[in-house]
Amino acid sequence: MSRIGKKPVVIPSGVTVNVGNGTVSVKGKLGELKDRIHPRITAEVKGSELTLTRASESRTDRALHGTTRANIANMVKGVSEGFTKKLELVGVGYKAEMKGKNLALALGFSHPILFRAPESIKIETPTQTSILISGTDRQLVGLVAAKLRSFKEPEPYKGKGVKYENEFIRRKAGKTAASSK
């Protein structure tokens, strides 16, 4: 039984939700998002709440019910508050800076890495070693953050690389000198 799917999505003031033709569109102060709904899930707006119902109690319908509800709740939160992810650069000489609309990363390679973000994503560099990614689409914000992290993932010996703000890097002990006899 999907307990998440049965919870109604509360629609805050200033956000409008339209359901029709198998799509849900959410409009708020930060923008507009649209998503398709699976044909076996039905959505209905009642006052300031959106409720979802499923066609049957099959395993796939229960999974779709909870997932669809979570995606719509993320859309509502995204257009009203937005989502942010913060990345940190750890390492000597590692730095990030904005060059126009491109993010230039110096990560110890022989060349800088230039990254152009999608239109709906905003990237800022408050300091040379931190990157702030924000936008209305939670999935896209996470995807951009994961892509930037993949350029130089943190290594376990010194912890050098691009990491999330509160990410814990499990450290390993390095090689020790051979004992003399």
Side-chain angles (χ1 to χ4, degrees), residues 176-181:
T176 57
S179 60
S180 59
K181 289 187 177 186

Short mmCIF file of all heavy atoms in Angstrom, two decimals, residues 176-181:
data_model
loop_
_atom_site.label_atom_id
_atom_site.label_comp_id
_atom_site.label_asym_id
_atom_site.label_seq_id
_atom_site.Cartn_x
_atom_site.Cartn_y
_atom_site.Cartn_z
N THR A 176 52.80 2.65 3.89
CA THR A 176 53.78 2.95 4.94
C THR A 176 55.14 2.47 4.46
O THR A 176 55.26 1.57 3.65
CB THR A 176 53.41 2.25 6.25
OG1 THR A 176 53.30 0.85 6.02
CG2 THR A 176 52.10 2.76 6.82
N ALA A 177 56.18 3.07 5.00
CA ALA A 177 57.54 2.71 4.62
C ALA A 177 57.85 1.28 5.07
O ALA A 177 57.36 0.83 6.11
CB ALA A 177 58.54 3.68 5.22
N ALA A 178 58.65 0.58 4.29
CA ALA A 178 59.02 -0.79 4.64
C ALA A 178 59.88 -0.79 5.91
O ALA A 178 60.71 0.10 6.11
CB ALA A 178 59.80 -1.45 3.50
N SER A 179 59.65 -1.76 6.75
CA SER A 179 60.41 -1.80 7.99
C SER A 179 61.82 -2.31 7.69
O SER A 179 62.02 -3.21 6.88
CB SER A 179 59.72 -2.72 9.00
OG SER A 179 59.64 -4.03 8.46
N SER A 180 62.81 -1.71 8.33
CA SER A 180 64.19 -2.10 8.09
C SER A 180 64.59 -3.26 9.02
O SER A 180 64.15 -3.33 10.16
CB SER A 180 65.13 -0.92 8.31
OG SER A 180 64.98 -0.46 9.65
N LYS A 181 65.41 -4.16 8.51
CA LYS A 181 65.83 -5.33 9.32
C LYS A 181 67.26 -5.27 9.69
O LYS A 181 68.13 -4.83 9.11
CB LYS A 181 65.56 -6.61 8.55
CG LYS A 181 64.10 -6.89 8.46
CD LYS A 181 63.89 -8.25 7.84
CE LYS A 181 62.44 -8.59 7.80
NZ LYS A 181 62.19 -9.90 7.35
#
